[in-house]
Amino acid sequence: MDAFVENLRTACATRHSISQVCREIGINRQQFNRYINGEAKPSAHNLARIATFFGLTPADFQLPEHSFGQKLHRPSLGGAEGVADVFQGFPGDIAALRRHVGYYQTYHLSLSWPGLVVCSYSRLYEEDGLIRVRSVERIRDAEREILQFSKYVGLAAFWRNRIFITERNIGRNTMLSQTILMPFEAHQRVYLRGTTMGVSWRKENLPYASRMIWRYIGREPDIRQVLSRCGVLPLASRHLPPTVRAFLEDPSAEILTVPTEY
């Protein structure tokens, strides 16, 4: 039997059902049956998605049975127990997540800029069986003579009608942030509302949580125009869409943080 077919069957046996595997990877069950029966080989793209789901690499599926079994149960994802289980949380329901692929103008209240709204942009896109995130934050604060340009990369997952996004900034002082967004019904896909959690870079690196709202702007927008809208804005700014303003200025939309002293 072909090593790939044998190893794929072994991997699938670690899950509740083939249907669950297909659903979570986002591959058609009929097509997947052809792979597992040896009737067809997956494309490089689909092989990468399958490998990622099991916490492996595409090359691992060509290993001898014993070596593959060791890899499957001891995946080399950082060498720590449980790391593979966490990584397998991405992308979750990729079919549902694909509906939200594209560019967004994002808005949130930040501890670093009290009383102001930070406007940035993010992109959700599919690559190697995952939904990846790239975000750009550009802030020009003439009053404080601050010019900040930050880039972030991350992964998105879809579980129980929620989008979970984990990002890290690119640079010397790396930090992580977590955002949870709530999609609404099919007829309303412009806005994704939720909460973001991060660390303030101007306030002694204090952790904080605040409201976040994403506004969908398409799959191929004018990036220069999108970037020109990034910055810090007062809540009364005419550049804030009414839906964004209403969501962020709600009395319950306070920033939560941790005091330095007790």
Side-chain angles (χ1 to χ4, degrees):
M1 184 184 298
D2 181 88
F4 168 77
V5 174
E6 186 172 328
N7 289 336
L8 181 60
R9 290 179 179 179
T10 299
C12 289
T14 66
R15 295 299 188 269
H16 180 69
S17 67
I18 299 296
S19 295
Q20 179 196 23
V21 172
C22 294
R23 184 168 56 254
E24 295 191 15
I25 297 177
I27 293 180
N28 178 274
R29 172 66 187 269
Q30 184 177 359
Q31 182 65 29
F32 195 86
N33 282 344
R34 297 183 66 200
Y35 301 156
I36 209 165
N37 291 328
E39 299 171 0
K41 289 290 183 68
S43 64
H45 176 69
N46 281 348
L47 178 57
R49 293 166 64 188
I50 293 169
T52 297
F53 174 76
F54 289 108
L56 302 168
T57 69
D60 289 336
F61 281 88
Q62 296 303 323
L63 292 172
E65 180 182 358
H66 179 69
S67 298
F68 180 80
Q70 290 183 321
K71 272 272 191 176
L72 180 64
H73 296 293
R74 295 186 181 89
S76 58
L77 292 173
E81 184 179 356
V83 171
D85 294 327
V86 173
F87 189 75
Q88 286 174 14
F90 298 91
D93 187 346
I94 194 169
L97 198 48
R98 284 191 183 113
R99 295 198 293 267
H100 302 283
V101 164
Y103 285 83
Y104 293 80
Q105 203 86 55
T106 69
Y107 307 85
H108 76 283
L109 301 173
S110 170
L111 190 64
S112 300
W113 311 94
L116 298 175
V117 178
V118 175
C119 175
S120 310
Y121 85 79
S122 296
R123 179 193 177 200
L124 295 179
Y125 63 100
E126 184 173 352
E127 183 180 87
D128 297 331
L130 295 169
I131 299 298
R132 301 183 183 272
V133 186
R134 285 190 180 273
S135 302
V136 171
E137 185 175 272
R138 186 179 72 170
I139 295 176
R140 292 177 176 174
D141 189 337
E143 181 180 342
R144 299 175 178 83
E145 297 184 348
I146 293 175
L147 178 60
Q148 175 188 331
F149 188 85
S150 304
K151 293 183 178 181
Y152 302 82
V153 295
L155 294 173
F158 193 102
W159 293 99
R160 298 178 64 182
N161 201 37
R162 297 291 182 266
I163 298 174
F164 297 84
I165 296 173
T166 301
E167 296 179 277
R168 69 170 179 86
N169 64 300
I170 300 174
R172 292 166 51 191
N173 301 313
T174 296
M175 291 186 182
L176 298 176
S177 64
Q178 176 79 45
T179 299
I180 302 175
L181 300 171
M182 300 180 291
F184 285 78
E185 299 300 328
H187 63 274
Q188 200 295 98
R189 295 185 183 174
V190 176
Y191 290 101
L192 298 172
R193 299 171 175 85
T195 301
T196 188
M197 292 156 281
V199 174
S200 168
W201 67 274
R202 294 184 60 211
K203 298 287 185 179
E204 302 174 346
N205 291 335
L206 291 179
Y208 73 91
S210 69
R211 288 194 174 193
M212 165 74 86
I213 182 167
W214 287 29
R215 180 176 182 271
Y216 181 72
I217 52 177
R219 296 208 173 194
E220 296 182 3
D222 184 329
I223 300 301
R224 289 186 178 182
Q225 186 179 64
V226 173
L227 190 58
S228 70
R229 294 197 289 263
C230 293
V232 289
L233 302 169
L235 277 167
S237 173
R238 62 183 178 84
H239 296 295
L240 283 181
T243 300
V244 172
R245 182 183 300 108
F247 182 69
L248 296 181
E249 71 179 0
D250 187 281
S252 64
E254 62 178 318
I255 296 177
L256 303 178
T257 187
V258 177
T260 55
E261 297 180 357
Y262 290 90

